[in-house]
Amino acid sequence: MSISSRFAVGIHILTLIEFNKDGITSSEFLASSVNTNPAVIRKLMGMLKKAGLIEVHPGIAGAKLTMKLSDITLFDVYKAVNVVQDKELFSIHENPQLNCPVGRNIQNTIEPIFATAQGAMEKVLKNVTLEDVMNDIVAGEIIG
């Protein structure tokens, strides 16, 4: 099981909106790049709009970022698309056998480890901006 692809698709959407800022970035255009249904893109765009990351207008094709790329972190995208709730990246089975020493203690043992791991991942995401992503994409196009 992995983190929802909404996170990667959210990054894709925001980066492509900026990459295509001189054109019309419709949900159909974005969907063709992501290779998914435009309805999926519209749902994610609604989440990104609610988080204040993009501006869209009903009935008018196109979207634009509300901030500079350097001001949007991957953590902002991660939170915007509701990948996971706070401290819930890792699921723990809820009903271990309490008659077993491992079952009795496993949750209290691994919960702090999981919380620390999620915190570390989120710290990394807070230190990477969409500008970093765009720079890597542009560099890849120049080299490739």
Side-chain angles (χ1 to χ4, degrees), residues 7 73-75 78 120-129:
F7 180 41
T73 67
L74 295 190
F75 184 74
Y78 172 80
M121 182 198 71
E122 290 177 356
K123 183 178 179 182
V124 169
L125 296 178
K126 289 176 183 177
N127 287 304
V128 179
T129 67

Side-chain angles (χ1 to χ4, degrees), residues 6-7 10 14 43-44 46-53 74-83:
R6 287 191 311 260
F7 180 41
L14 294 171
K43 179 178 179 180
L44 283 170
M47 296 170 128
L48 296 168
K49 179 182 178 182
K50 184 177 178 184
L53 299 177
L74 295 190
F75 184 74
D76 296 328
V77 182
Y78 172 80
K79 295 304 272 185
V81 297
N82 298 318
V83 174

Side-chain angles (χ1 to χ4, degrees), residues 49-138:
K49 179 182 178 182
K50 184 177 178 184
L53 299 177
I54 63 170
E55 182 180 302
V56 294
H57 301 285
I60 302 172
K64 67 179 185 174
L65 301 182
T66 59
M67 299 178 252
K68 297 185 299 187
L69 285 178
S70 59
D71 293 334
I72 303 172
T73 67
L74 295 190
F75 184 74
D76 296 328
V77 182
Y78 172 80
K79 295 304 272 185
V81 297
N82 298 318
V83 174
V84 295
Q85 300 302 314
D86 288 337
K87 297 182 178 134
E88 292 185 12
L89 179 62
F90 301 99
S91 297
I92 299 176
H93 55 294
E94 295 183 18
N95 298 308
Q97 179 51 258
L98 299 180
N99 292 331
C100 170
V102 173
R104 231 181 352 263
N105 294 290
I106 192 70
Q107 291 176 326
N108 290 334
T109 300
I110 64 176
E111 279 179 350
I113 297 166
F114 287 177
T116 300
Q118 182 171 348
M121 182 198 71
E122 290 177 356
K123 183 178 179 182
V124 169
L125 296 178
K126 289 176 183 177
N127 287 304
V128 179
T129 67
L130 283 180
E131 182 176 52
D132 299 325
V133 172
M134 178 69 86
N135 289 339
D136 284 351
I137 290 170
V138 170

Side-chain angles (χ1 to χ4, degrees), residues 16-26 29-30 60-65:
L16 186 53
I17 288 171
E18 181 65 17
F19 194 83
N20 190 51
K21 66 182 171 188
D22 295 329
I24 296 175
T25 309
S26 66
F29 175 78
L30 292 162
I60 302 172
K64 67 179 185 174
L65 301 182

